[in-house]
Amino acid sequence: MATGKDVFRRNGYELSWSSSSAKINNDEFYGFTGVDYEEKLEKAFAWGMDKAGVPRGRTKGKYSVEGSSIKMYKSTALALIEALARKSPDGKSYGNVQFHFTLQYVEDDISVTEELFGCEIAGAKRSISNGPDAAIDEIPISVMYAKLSTPNIQGMTLFDNRQGRY
């Protein structure tokens, strides 16, 4: 049973990094080199006492976004950290300043927007090695929740948001 319409592409374009643009708090940052995040909806079975060992049901689940990080050139990382530090009460601490991350892909007839809400910087991993490559910083972030939007359905979430909490 087909649940959606998959478009056949012959000599067409698929979404890739070159189709994307990234924004933090609606400010475009051009030095991003990668984004990682993983959404989970951890559900548990409720077990009954019958001899067959069949579950009575399952919980609605606990939603989380784990393993999140953004990778960027060192100059972009410094610009981001400075912008967040300016928004903190003391003008220096950037770890507790929340931001909104948007990644948008646009290619011919395809448009996808991924949004990460309630982001905060949770650390830093810096890397440079002997060679021609530019210095890259990987910044781990904590994320409250993520939304996915396509032209067909806006604001899709992995969790049930009928109560409008987000």
Side-chain angles (χ1 to χ4, degrees):
M1 177 174 136
T3 57
K5 183 178 178 186
D6 185 18
V7 178
F8 176 73
R9 297 180 186 286
R10 178 176 290 141
N11 298 327
Y13 293 104
E14 288 292 343
L15 296 174
S16 66
W17 189 253
S18 62
S19 309
S20 66
S21 66
K23 293 181 181 181
I24 290 187
N25 294 335
N26 293 322
D27 292 329
E28 196 150 9
F29 277 74
Y30 296 98
F32 284 101
T33 61
V35 178
D36 293 313
Y37 71 95
E38 177 182 346
E39 287 183 279
K40 283 186 172 183
L41 190 57
E42 185 179 337
K43 297 181 179 189
F45 286 109
W47 298 98
M49 291 183 60
D50 79 7
K51 294 179 182 182
V54 179
R56 294 174 49 119
R58 74 170 55 116
T59 63
K60 287 198 176 244
K62 181 179 176 182
Y63 174 81
S64 65
V65 181
E66 299 176 0
S68 306
S69 68
I70 47 181
K71 298 173 191 134
M72 60 196 82
Y73 296 113
K74 183 169 281 301
S75 58
T76 300
L78 291 172
L80 171 62
I81 288 169
E82 288 172 354
L84 293 175
R86 280 193 290 275
K87 293 182 179 184
S88 72
D90 67 357
K92 297 177 183 178
S93 308
Y94 57 88
N96 291 324
V97 179
Q98 285 196 5
F99 60 92
H100 175 241
F101 181 83
T102 305
L103 183 62
Q104 187 173 37
Y105 303 91
V106 178
E107 197 66 68
D108 292 336
D109 61 335
I110 304 172
S111 174
V112 177
T113 302
E114 298 178 37
E115 295 177 276
L116 303 178
F117 292 89
C119 301
E120 290 183 355
I121 291 181
K125 180 180 177 183
R126 296 174 175 95
S127 175
I128 189 165
S129 59
N130 186 2
D133 296 334
I136 300 287
D137 285 3
E138 180 177 354
I139 300 179
I141 58 174
S142 63
V143 178
M144 291 292 287
Y145 69 101
K147 278 188 181 179
L148 175 66
S149 296
T150 65
N152 300 327
I153 301 177
Q154 298 298 312
M156 293 181 282
T157 59
L158 183 61
F159 60 95
D160 182 357
N161 194 27
R162 286 180 285 181
Q163 295 175 346
R165 292 187 179 151
Y166 292 111

